[in-house]
Amino acid sequence: LRDVPGWVVDYVLVHELTHLLEPGHDARFWAWVQRYPRTERAMGYLEGLSAAAGLGFTGIDGDEYVPEAIQPA
């Protein structure tokens, strides 16, 4: 994460700090995370970075723990 934009680091921090309130990745967790306005953009950035590096992160489109309510239409 050293070379990613600050708003991506902010998303990662929001994601991890939200685990202090909600331990899993349920709808309540994602409701908190979605309060950060660049959540979807940051997830897309990380998904692209992972794909380019061959890390296998699937992100919001393929990650089974993401509730339907926040998946893009």
Side-chain angles (χ1 to χ4, degrees), residues 3-72:
D3 296 324
V4 302
W7 49 269
V8 175
V9 174
D10 289 347
Y11 161 75
V12 172
L13 291 172
V14 167
H15 180 108
E16 295 306 324
L17 289 171
T18 299
H19 283 299
L20 296 173
L21 301 171
E22 298 292 339
H25 289 104
D26 60 13
R28 290 182 308 201
F29 171 87
W30 289 110
W32 280 106
V33 173
Q34 288 292 321
R35 291 178 176 209
Y36 177 59
R38 292 187 171 178
T39 291
E40 288 189 43
R41 185 175 181 196
M43 290 180 76
Y45 184 99
L46 290 171
E47 186 175 346
L49 185 65
S50 174
L55 299 177
F57 176 76
T58 56
I60 197 166
D61 291 332
D63 218 338
E64 66 186 60
Y65 64 78
V66 178
E68 242 180 74
I70 65 161
Q71 290 185 2

